[in-house]
């Protein structure tokens, strides 16, 4: 099942799914097996004045036209902006990152997006690292290893060996 970070965390709590692949959120009540750190990048329209830099200081997003995915508690982009007390001019709120990417391409604003999503994508935009560098922690979330089905326990054990 595909869903937003908030939906996946909720489904794990409600036992609608056994295991979810998502970004770690400290306030959520689930067990978490970290798999990888995924770097977050500044995404700007080609030719944007900030695109001439080697990296984008997070403060440069203050008051800039910005495109962001809908807020879910603890979402990574919202968390990064809050941690650095950055307040962009949020012009558009999308339901997925690919919509955000398309809107950046059409010069509707700037975005911060995960590297895993950007991998292999090409378009009329520039991606640059953030300063300071920012990451999201991806992994497998589950309510309780004791409550998992035998198949899910087997998958989790295989994942520990294969992914770690």
């Amino acid at each position: 099942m595909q869903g937003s970070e908030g939906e996946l965390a909720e489904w794990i709590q409600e036992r609608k799914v056994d295991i979810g692949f998502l970004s770690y959120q400290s306030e959520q009540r689930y067990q978490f097996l970290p798999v990888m750190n995924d770097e977050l990048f500044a995404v700007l329209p080609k030719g944007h004045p900030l695109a001439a830099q080697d990296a984008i200081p997070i403060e440069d997003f203050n008051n800039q036209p910005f495109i962001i995915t809908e807020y879910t508690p603890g979402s990574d982009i919202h968390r990064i902006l809050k941690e650095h007390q950055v307040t962009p001019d949020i012009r558009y709120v999308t339901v997925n990152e690919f919509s955000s990417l398309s809107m950046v391409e059409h010069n509707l604003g700037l975005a911060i997006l995960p590297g895993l999503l950007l991998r292999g994508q090409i378009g009329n935009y520039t991606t640059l690292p953030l300063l300071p560098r920012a990451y999201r922690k991806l992994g497998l979330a589950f309510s309780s290893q004791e409550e998992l089905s035998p198949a899910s326990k087997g998958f989790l054990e295989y994942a520990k060996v294969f992914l770690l």
Side-chain angles (χ1 to χ4, degrees):
M1 294 172 59
Q2 181 180 0
S4 69
E5 292 279 334
E7 288 173 323
L8 287 171
E10 191 176 292
W11 294 340
I12 291 166
Q13 291 300 313
E14 296 171 354
R15 310 288 197 275
K16 287 184 180 178
V17 299
D18 288 334
I19 299 172
F21 182 70
L22 47 88
S23 175
Y24 177 73
Q25 306 301 325
S26 60
E27 69 282 347
Q28 294 293 341
R29 295 182 323 247
Y30 49 64
Q31 293 186 38
F32 190 78
L33 174 66
V35 173
M36 67 179 287
N37 286 326
D38 184 23
E39 188 167 4
L40 301 172
F41 290 90
V43 184
L44 308 98
K46 277 221 165 75
H48 190 279
L50 293 175
Q53 303 178 77
D54 292 331
I56 304 295
I58 190 78
E59 296 81 21
D60 285 0
F61 284 96
N62 266 317
N63 302 314
Q64 288 286 334
F66 200 72
I67 303 158
I68 196 163
T69 53
E70 65 184 336
Y71 177 77
T72 57
S75 66
D76 299 296
I77 309 307
H78 292 275
R79 176 181 49 83
I80 297 296
L81 293 171
K82 185 177 179 180
E83 279 176 11
H84 296 281
Q85 299 174 347
V86 172
T87 308
D89 178 11
I90 297 175
R91 301 268 177 100
Y92 301 98
V93 179
T94 66
V95 293
N96 71 56
E97 290 91 352
F98 289 110
S99 297
S100 298
L101 189 57
S102 178
M103 294 173 90
V104 170
E105 281 190 288
H106 289 88
N107 208 24
L108 297 174
L110 314 179
I112 297 174
L113 294 171
L116 194 59
L117 172 112
L118 295 167
R119 189 180 299 165
Q121 300 293 319
I122 55 170
N124 194 31
Y125 57 87
T126 301
T127 60
L128 294 168
L130 295 170
L131 287 178
R133 291 248 158 96
Y135 299 85
R136 64 181 182 158
K137 185 187 300 183
L138 295 177
L140 300 173
F142 49 96
S143 59
S144 163
Q145 194 160 359
E146 295 75 35
E147 295 177 21
L148 289 175
S149 68
S152 293
K153 283 181 184 178
F155 173 79
L156 195 58
E157 290 306 313
Y158 173 77
K160 286 179 185 177
V161 172
F162 182 75
L163 298 172
L164 301 179

